[in-house]
Amino acid sequence: MHKASLLRDVIVGIIVVIAAVLLNMAIGTPMLRDLALRLCSLGLFAVSLNLLVGYTGLLSFGQATFYGAGAYMFTLLMQKSGLGIPSAFGLTLIGVSLLAVVVGTICVRLTGVYFTFLTLAIQMMFYSMLIAWSSFTGGEQGLTGGLPKPPFLGIDLTNPTHFYIFSVSVFVVSLVILRRIVASPFGASLRMIRDNADRALFLGVPVQRYKLFAFVVSSLFATVAGILTSLFVSGAFPNFAYWLTSGDGLFMIMLGGASNFFGPVLGAIVLIVLDNLINVHIKHHGLVLGVVILFVVLGMRKGILDYLAEIFASYSERSATRRSQP
Amino acid sequence: MTARLQLVKLHKRFGGVVATDNVSLDFAPSTLSAIIGPNGAGKTTLFNLITGRLKPSSGQVLLDGKDLVGLEPGAITRLGIGRAFQVASLFKTFSVRDSLAAAVLSRQRALGDMVGNFPGSMATDHVDRILHLTGLAHLAQRGSTELSHGDQKLLDIALALALEPKVLLLDEPTAGMGRNEARAMLERIHQVSQREKLTVIFIEHDMELVFGLAQSVRVLRYGAVLAEGTPAEIRAHPAVIAAYLGSEA
Amino acid sequence: MDIEALGQCLSSASCLVTQGMTGMIAGLLLFLVASGLTLIFGVLGFVNFVHGSFYMIGAYFAYSAFQATDSYVAAVVAGTLGVGLLAVVFERFFATRVYDKDHMLQILLCYAFILIFDDLVEVIWGNDFISMGVPQQFVRDPYIILGGVIPPLYVYLIGISLLFALALSLLMWKTKLGKTIRAAAQNRDMVSALGINTTLLFTLVFALGAILAGASGALAAPVRSLTPGMGFDILIESFIVTVIGGMGSIVGGLVASLLIGMVRSFGGIGFPLFTEGLIFMMTATVLLLRPNGLFARRAD
């Protein structure tokens, strides 16, 4: 039976990629591609973060560490080692995952606000290191100087159309994998940990180990998002690992809805739209973002998709009751 | 007859306070025992010691001869100690069926599976069985938090049952219930324990209910065993009567 | 990295004195801020992520007051009271709405305000680093102790910080209000059952906590350069103090604050660009060895 769900997800994924390709063929403007590419990395970052926040109940304020580390490691490998893109991609995933194992092991020992705080502190340390180690990381300027993109398997990432399809595909594949994980028994155990870690422990769930798994998986896909971004901007910059980037992630989740798998993607769309609107009309990004968060936190109390899901649920319940009445 | 569960000189102190005072008790297989005692007598502490939530200062907890002291709660659960809580400890976003499926899958060590579907078809038979056993079948699709207080406590017990325990610890299963509801709950517990051949140990405050159901009664006071015997014996026990006259009838 | 310079400093009395003083001031100022944070978290159970912004706003208010009046006293008062007022408004209209909710909601609410405050500060005072400058009465010959140079302002700052700390302790331990606050920290519901107006109490405690941060910012203004977003570092550090000092322990808070101050000061010589990293490593080490902090009185 689970083969059927995997099949369904893969088919939906393929349809999405094809739709994206068609869209590009219809409206092939650089702006469309830019928006789509930003959605791919931000959306993936937000969905990966939600594995921790929404599904496991671990409020991490430091996933930008891995997003940034992914961007930096990939850029450095491409600039300095002469490796092809697939190899650099793979090595970056492995390297940053190892970092995630170390960081995760330290952090999951703590709970609640202490956990949040430690993830934040580690991120700031990583950021501080990026700035300090300027001989290696370019310091405050970051890794400028471009990112070589040698062709591989017939794909040439210097070609905008190729890059577009590549990013969308990576995004879709990542989402399919994450969706499978979330729907699996492991995903259920994460939700058990979120709802009642004590009882989960009593039911034999290895809570600490599973938290660590979730942490590493989340960081893995944050890394992928970071790689996509570095390809997009042809470099890596310290603000990737700044705490405000983690904040953006939480914003996307909050706005789009933490209990829905696609909520964070919707949140990403809103963030990108807001960003574009603000940069064009108003200079003060923080102000607008802050006010929107206030509105969501105090007014809606949950994300858009959560809200809609609730409305839909109560509507269908009401119509079911109506139907069952003579 | 060898005891299913044996507490051997179990002792727990917190700083200067002795919470459990050299408790030695045997629990025979397939029996229903009650643990009673005034508030603060250490009943819940005893449960915590058995389930591994607390480590004893000294003493042993033997399940079929194997000492559980020092093991992680998860391991103790796997060896066969199940527990239901005074306040139902549920998974609020899970439906009744999904909660039980999660428990069953945990038992089957299948919760680490990152590829399959949850709940899928793996656990359905077991889940159905437990739903029928506890009388929750008609509520299978409901959310855990939508249930009535009594049904939530039933679900709490069902979660423990899903792990196929040998020993079931129930912490005040009828707390917060009216007389009739409590009676129904205990009847069900009785049925379940007979069908599953469990050793059930429950903490209870209501003496009427205890005497109607338990095969043996242990009385705790100040962390130590004050008396043990059949309900009739305990009812007439002078020390027990004296202890209770001070706190509750 | 410059270990040699660090070694040289450690073996020189004058450097020890100068850096030691700087470290002590940084530590004491941090202690004030952290005490405020611990107070708010301990009594209200509220994770006050905006605390760093209170520090920042205290500094900016002090700066403006000083520009207007040329009086350091006015500056400190403006910073302290201004932040107090702001805190009351924040608490009454916003913080209350998330008191008993998820910590995530609290953190997000505060995050929203960090963004808003940072931008407002930028709008009002601009993006550049600004400097308040040392007030006239402190422009004197520095004291020389063991060859170390100590500006009179430093001595004053240490004195004032200690005074604040003393006032706080007296308040908490010798007054009825203080007893009530400490009781509320132990058991909120009980205090309300005793008929005490918890709403008023909470606002008071929140304002008190914020005032400590604002006062610290105002006091620090002469020796810091002000910029929007400057509150973030001190926020992280006060959390570190709370965490490694152990929740609820004043002595622990003081020790942790001084430790951080010293690491900043001496670490800044040996590892000029990596001081955050050092502080973090110290935090991680303490947490790994003693997950409840150095002097934890109660595990959280």
Side-chain angles (χ1 to χ4, degrees), chain A residues 5 183 194-196 199 202-203, chain B residues 77 89 93 106 117-118 156:
Chain A
S5 288
R194 175 196 64 196
D195 286 354
N196 193 337
R199 195 72 202 257
F202 260 105
L203 290 182
Chain B
T77 307
S89 179
T93 62
S106 176
N117 254 340
F118 176 84
D156 196 67

Side-chain angles (χ1 to χ4, degrees), chain B residues 96-113:
Chain B
V96 171
R97 176 176 286 283
D98 282 355
S99 305
L100 293 174
V104 172
L105 282 175
S106 176
R107 174 80 180 146
Q108 296 172 347
R109 291 197 176 257
L111 268 188
D113 182 4

Side-chain angles (χ1 to χ4, degrees), chain A residues 78-159:
Chain A
M78 291 309 295
Q79 280 181 345
K80 307 255 163 80
S81 73
L83 286 171
I85 288 183
S87 317
F89 203 110
L91 273 175
T92 305
L93 286 182
I94 296 175
V96 180
S97 294
L98 286 173
L99 177 67
V101 170
V102 172
V103 172
T105 309
I106 303 175
C107 289
V108 297
R109 289 158 152 247
L110 305 176
T111 52
V113 63
Y114 290 100
F115 168 80
T116 303
F117 164 68
L118 194 57
T119 57
L120 182 56
I122 292 180
Q123 166 162 25
M124 286 319 292
M125 182 190 114
F126 180 72
Y127 176 77
S128 159
M129 191 189 79
L130 284 180
I131 304 275
W133 210 351
S134 46
S135 55
F136 193 50
T137 63
E140 293 209 3
Q141 314 289 60
L143 293 173
T144 50
L147 186 69
K149 297 177 186 147
F152 62 98
L153 301 174
I155 304 172
D156 178 12
L157 293 184
T158 57
N159 176 323

Side-chain angles (χ1 to χ4, degrees), chain C residues 38-57:
Chain C
T38 314
L39 197 62
I40 296 176
F41 189 47
V43 176
L44 307 183
F46 181 75
V47 183
N48 191 22
F49 228 42
V50 201
H51 211 63
S53 303
F54 289 153
Y55 171 84
M56 169 182 77
I57 293 172

Side-chain angles (χ1 to χ4, degrees), chain A residues 125 243 254 284 286-287 301, chain C residues 101 108-109 119 232 239 280:
Chain A
M125 182 190 114
W243 70 288
M254 245 263 124
H284 296 288
L287 207 53
R301 305 271 173 151
Chain C
K101 302 267 184 302
L108 282 168
L109 174 76
D119 259 7
F232 188 67
F239 265 107
F280 165 74

